[in-house]
Amino acid sequence: NAGVTQTPKFQVLKTGQSMTLQCAQDMNHNSMYWYRQDPGMGLRLIYYSASEGTTDKGEVPNGYNVSRLNKREFSLRLESAAPSQTSVYFCASSEQGGYTFGSGTRLTVV
Amino acid sequence: AQSVTQLGSHVSVSEGALVLLRCNYSSSVPPYLFWYVQYPNQGLQLLLKYTTGATLVKGINGFEAEFKKSETSFHLTKPSAHMSDAAEYFCAVNSGAAGNKLTFGGGTRVLVKP
């Protein structure tokens, strides 16, 4: 089925470890996004990519980096994980006002 | 800048009663508005969206929302709650800025009592 695929679904990291969250879409959308979801705060934008070859900071970019590898793939990297980065991470893609979300990655940093 | 405020982080309704979830937004230009639902341990599912045209928008599962520009509101309603409506609901706005970013409200968790 067409959509947005995120890997992994669950991850536990130790403080200071690094990891990359992967996201791929097969809908030929130009724009892709990374959000984090925390209780009572809704979803907050970390980084986005309006088109292949561009990336921009969102509301909460500190501690994260992104790579728009090609039109399909948009990865999120935590270089040195901190407990404050414990969250659920969602990737999304969009085209002409329609948005599709992945199923999320639940990350715990201990 | 765009922002979204959802009044009430938790709402409790009886089965069969009206569901009303409030959403107010701020946007410097006519916005696109969305309601999403999230069931426990799942991703976001689009309930409905307003882009242009008719201000009363009907969505899935019997939900509807009305765009009121003068009140900068986009409240979500369902006439009769069902147990399966227990979930968290998010209002979101896209004001068409660079990147077509969605800005979300804090969410409202709905509990349905039998």
Side-chain angles (χ1 to χ4, degrees), chain A residues 33 35 37 42 45 48 99, chain B residues 38 90 94 99-102 105:
Chain A
Y33 313 84
Y35 288 89
Q37 182 182 18
L45 184 65
Y48 68 100
Y99 298 83
Chain B
Q38 184 180 37
F90 294 94
N94 168 18
N100 285 312
K101 304 179 292 293
L102 273 181

Side-chain angles (χ1 to χ4, degrees), chain B residues 21 53 64 78:
Chain B
L21 304 182
E64 63 181 34
K78 181 174 180 178

Side-chain angles (χ1 to χ4, degrees), chain B residues 91-105:
Chain B
C91 183
V93 62
N94 168 18
S95 61
N100 285 312
K101 304 179 292 293
L102 273 181
T103 298
F104 287 84

Side-chain angles (χ1 to χ4, degrees), chain A residues 39-82:
Chain A
M41 307 189 76
L43 279 77
R44 293 179 293 168
L45 184 65
I46 305 171
Y47 270 93
Y48 68 100
S49 172
S51 61
E52 185 179 358
T54 69
T55 60
D56 285 284
K57 295 178 180 180
E59 182 183 355
V60 288
N62 291 345
Y64 305 95
N65 285 299
V66 290
S67 296
R68 183 76 183 265
L69 304 171
N70 47 55
K71 193 170 186 178
R72 290 186 64 249
E73 298 174 287
F74 188 40
S75 63
L76 178 71
R77 183 161 178 83
L78 287 70
E79 292 291 352
S80 179

